[in-house]
Amino acid sequence: MANSKKPGGLREMLESMYSVIALLFILVACVELCDAAAAFDVYRLIQYDRSGSPFGSRFAALNHHAASLHFPPGVDLSRTVLIIPLRELNITFVREYINQKKPLGGFLVLLPEVLSFKTGGNNQVHEKEKMKNLLAELERLLIHSNIPYPVYFAFENDEIDTVLADIKKNDLMGQPATATTGGYKFVIPTAEPKKVASPTMTNIQGWLSGLKTDGDANQLPTIAIVASYDTFGAAPALSVGSDSNGSGIVALLEISRLFSLLYSNPKTRGRYNLLFGLTSGGPYNYNGTQKWLRSFDQRLRESIDYAICLNSIGSLDNELWIHVSKPPENAYIKQIFEGLSNVAEELDLKVGLKHKKINISNPRVAWEHEQFSRLRVTAATLSELSVTPELLESTGGLFDTRQYVNETAIVRGVKLVAESLARHIYGHQGKNIQIFADESSLAVNPAYIRSWLDVLSQTPRVAPFLSKDDPFVMALKKELAGHVDEVNVQHETLEGIFTFYDSTSARLNIYQVASVTFDLLLLLVLGSYLIVLFSFLVITTRGLDDLISLFRRPPSRKLKTA
Amino acid sequence: MTMFHFFNCAILTFGPHAVYYSATPLSEYDTLGTSVKAALVYLGTALVKLVCLATVLKVSENDGFDPYQELLKAVIGFIDVAGLYFALTQLTHRNISQNHKFQAVGLGWAFADSVLHRLAPLWVGARGLEFTWDFILQGLEANANLVLSISLAALGSLMWLRKNKPKTLIPIIYTCAGIVATMPSITSYLRRGLGWDFPKVVVFELFTSLSMAFISWQLFSACQRPS
């Protein structure tokens, strides 16, 4: 009986041993990866296809030596990562590299720490305009190029600055880092980037019903207020779009809050329905807005009197623009413009009118109101931008951070839109009545705007990387639901000419490596040390003759046998 | 090159033991068994020391030098000496001369010490991409430790195995043995109390081990003269 138990027990023991050994191997393998000199978060350049053509950085994994801008000329950089801080970046240098397709192992741009939404805080940015222009140019260059190596962005901090200083020192001595000369090695262990399958766009709409008296047979007219909430930028993990279009979202939420206060009391409820729309797919020719409008009931669409689209109203320049696609002589457009200008005058603000005809055959939709106009709904976009943006421009890029948006401007924008809307709804056009006066119960709440702006400035919102039940989208829905009667969420697929690839952020490990020549040298030194030790010990303990006899084949043996 | 570096540091740490064994007459007299037994005794004493340390010492928050704790650690360090005594006197060795016995015991002792204290950090650390000088310094420390162990074994064998010693040399023998036995405490005092950094400490260890070896060699040959 004892014998039959033994083999089974032995097998069990062996199996448990195998699992222990396997665990040990896994542990040992894990530890090897964790001992970097430094590790940082880095954010990858966007990778996308537009109508089949590849754009952006096509690779994600990195395992190369590092060099700075002071690399000796003529050296081969195809297995080197260039690390450049933004303040030393020369756009012509980068453009030359990309356009001439010079081989490079990788590219790491160090952004100033103030731009980081995690650690930058609310510090002031020095030389704002210069940095903004540089970043805008860099972004434009990178987004529209096909780059066959990984491009990453990181924020400067003390550790990475010391590493950079060390790299510069080595480069100046004329020794770029390669396998034989040691130096720093940058390793980003990520998988191959894959396509994002069926990216979703989520449109959120809120409905505030107007006062329907018994005599009204028809549906009440509707006014729509729309803002697109998603962004697009060179680094999708950093595209927080505080101004484009964080300012629009915040303004929409505040307007909905104010009107919900008015509409909560039947005595002050207006005879207009209010439709609030937070749309997605903005940078991609307002694809989401188009799908949202197409999903409308014909009657609803016809009942929309006009729509105001909000796009980037967060800058404190004293001029806002109203962009329209119907000619300015149109009666409705005149009405909207007059309403807004009257209020603007009171707020010490200038508003101008810009007319851009839409071309139905051109798929390019530069402003959100154009999607309304294509469906014969009167609409206008309120924006600080005077020039029509190009595709993928002004959609929340690297420089569009919290420091570049001003909440006073947003407060002013809210007042402008809300007052003009209210005067239209309650029929007080031309009268000098301030419905949303300061210090009243209907005053615009700067703290609300500030807190939402802070949240938005910390949330990257590139649509293909927002899942269907993304917590931020749910938060927007919940906030809007608190102010309106009914909220609907519509999920659509982002189809069309854009395809996106994942892997937007990763962890960079920096290792200080010794060169192969160092290891060989060390082996040589150790070998000779051991040989010397051996000879020394033999000589001192057995005598010199023994040492010599070790090397000489004893010829006397042959003599002996003979 | 990571495995390369590990290999280099491994031969620096463990190479001298193998070289010592093969270069001296120890290999001729096949004293491997003695060395193995000495290594096992070291293992035993290490366990006993661990238990004593765990019971007696408190965990200190800062890395400073606490004299009371260090004194306790030094006292517990004498368990090492007791273990060496056990290995030298109580274990049954084959008929090998005293000259070779202490060498074999010292070698086994130092090898076990190196393996226990230095193999795991080497395996885990030296194979990574990151390069530090620590492992090379650790290898040098292992070398110094080998010399110290052999000199301690020599002094131990003088103290306990040799019956007829010149009277004048006895106190010198005991003081030298005491110094060598308290070497770990001295090095930890240098590192923590005086704040010496690792390379300096290793240089100090190498220097003292060589001088101690020389002194014990002189004592050994002095004791050998009368017989």
Side-chain angles (χ1 to χ4, degrees), chain A residues 35-54:
Chain A
D35 63 344
F40 307 99
D41 288 318
V42 290
Y43 311 98
R44 196 169 80 101
L45 180 66
I46 186 135
Q47 179 181 0
Y48 67 102
D49 296 336
R50 192 168 85 217
S51 313
S53 316

Side-chain angles (χ1 to χ4, degrees), chain A residues 147-318:
Chain A
I147 303 175
Y149 42 81
V151 178
Y152 279 94
F153 297 93
F155 290 107
E156 280 193 65
N157 56 27
D158 294 328
E159 284 179 317
I160 219 172
D161 277 337
T162 42
V163 168
L164 183 63
D166 232 350
I167 296 175
K168 279 189 191 163
K169 205 169 63 177
N170 285 342
D171 281 348
L172 285 171
M173 291 198 300
Q175 289 180 334
T178 56
T180 46
T181 54
Y184 285 92
K185 198 157 201 201
F186 283 12
V187 179
I188 300 179
T190 58
E192 187 81 31
K194 292 186 288 291
K195 283 193 192 176
V196 175
S198 34
T200 40
M201 298 185 294
T202 311
N203 296 322
I204 308 169
Q205 80 180 38
W207 181 262
L208 206 56
S209 303
L211 188 67
K212 207 167 177 166
T213 56
D214 296 328
D216 282 333
N218 310 324
Q219 196 174 17
L220 285 174
T222 313
I223 300 179
I225 301 155
V226 192
S228 99
Y229 69 84
D230 68 330
T231 59
F232 182 90
L238 298 176
S239 290
V240 292
S242 302
D243 198 7
S244 306
N245 192 12
S247 52
I249 304 171
V250 161
L252 188 146
L253 287 175
E254 177 65 2
I255 294 170
S256 71
R257 186 188 73 86
L258 292 170
F259 275 96
S260 81
L261 285 174
L262 275 174
Y263 274 44
S264 56
N265 186 345
K267 290 202 195 131
T268 50
R269 197 178 295 164
R271 309 278 289 279
Y272 282 80
N273 297 323
L274 286 174
L275 175 63
F276 296 97
L278 285 167
T279 58
S280 178
Y284 323 113
N285 294 326
Y286 294 100
N287 201 335
T289 317
Q290 183 192 50
K291 297 207 162 123
W292 181 52
L293 290 175
R294 292 249 169 91
S295 74
F296 279 1
D297 194 21
Q298 175 81 353
R299 278 202 314 162
L300 172 57
R301 210 185 304 150
E302 283 173 1
S303 77
I304 298 180
D305 247 14
Y306 65 92
I308 302 261
C309 308
L310 301 169
N311 183 354
S312 313
I313 52 175
S315 161
L316 208 48
D317 306 328
N318 278 330

Side-chain angles (χ1 to χ4, degrees), chain A residues 40-217:
Chain A
F40 307 99
D41 288 318
V42 290
Y43 311 98
R44 196 169 80 101
L45 180 66
I46 186 135
Q47 179 181 0
Y48 67 102
D49 296 336
R50 192 168 85 217
S51 313
S53 316
F55 289 100
S57 159
R58 310 306 294 182
F59 289 94
L62 192 69
N63 190 346
H64 291 312
H65 289 268
S68 68
L69 269 177
H70 301 287
F71 62 85
V75 82
D76 176 30
L77 291 175
S78 57
R79 295 193 57 83
T80 317
V81 180
L82 264 186
I83 170 169
I84 305 183
L86 190 69
R87 51 174 190 275
E88 296 171 19
L89 188 68
N90 185 346
I91 279 285
T92 41
F93 171 80
V94 180
R95 193 171 291 135
E96 190 191 305
Y97 250 81
I98 293 177
N99 291 341
Q100 291 175 12
K101 301 202 190 302
K102 288 192 185 168
L104 190 63
F107 193 36
L108 178 66
V109 180
L110 290 181
L111 302 170
E113 201 177 351
V114 288
L115 290 179
S116 160
F117 54 85
K118 284 187 197 140
T119 58
N122 284 328
N123 301 328
Q124 273 310 309
V125 182
H126 303 293
E127 300 183 321
K128 266 189 174 179
E129 274 310 303
K130 202 171 112 183
M131 194 183 297
K132 182 172 171 179
N133 292 337
L134 181 61
L135 279 169
E137 238 193 291
L138 179 68
E139 198 162 7
R140 203 176 314 139
L141 172 66
L142 291 174
I143 288 179
H144 295 287
S145 316
N146 179 7
I147 303 175
Y149 42 81
V151 178
Y152 279 94
F153 297 93
F155 290 107
E156 280 193 65
N157 56 27
D158 294 328
E159 284 179 317
I160 219 172
D161 277 337
T162 42
V163 168
L164 183 63
D166 232 350
I167 296 175
K168 279 189 191 163
K169 205 169 63 177
N170 285 342
D171 281 348
L172 285 171
M173 291 198 300
Q175 289 180 334
T178 56
T180 46
T181 54
Y184 285 92
K185 198 157 201 201
F186 283 12
V187 179
I188 300 179
T190 58
E192 187 81 31
K194 292 186 288 291
K195 283 193 192 176
V196 175
S198 34
T200 40
M201 298 185 294
T202 311
N203 296 322
I204 308 169
Q205 80 180 38
W207 181 262
L208 206 56
S209 303
L211 188 67
K212 207 167 177 166
T213 56
D214 296 328
D216 282 333

Side-chain angles (χ1 to χ4, degrees), chain A residues 28 31-32 35-37 187 510-514 516 518-520 522-523 526 529-530 533-534 537-538 541-542, chain B residues 1 4-5 7-8 11-12 15-16 19-20 22-25 27-28 123-125 127-131 133 136 143:
Chain A
V28 162
V31 169
E32 190 179 334
D35 63 344
V187 179
I510 300 184
Y511 298 100
Q512 189 164 19
V513 291
V516 170
F518 173 81
D519 281 326
L520 286 170
L522 190 63
L523 183 65
L526 288 176
Y529 164 70
L530 285 177
L533 186 68
F534 184 82
L537 286 171
V538 167
T541 51
R542 288 194 264 184
Chain B
M1 298 293 281
F4 202 164
H5 190 62
F7 176 72
N8 279 343
I11 62 176
L12 177 61
V19 163
Y20 193 91
S22 53
T24 56
S27 55
E28 279 177 25
W123 176 253
V124 167
R127 286 183 314 130
L129 272 178
E130 181 74 14
F131 174 76
W133 287 99
I136 297 176
N143 279 307

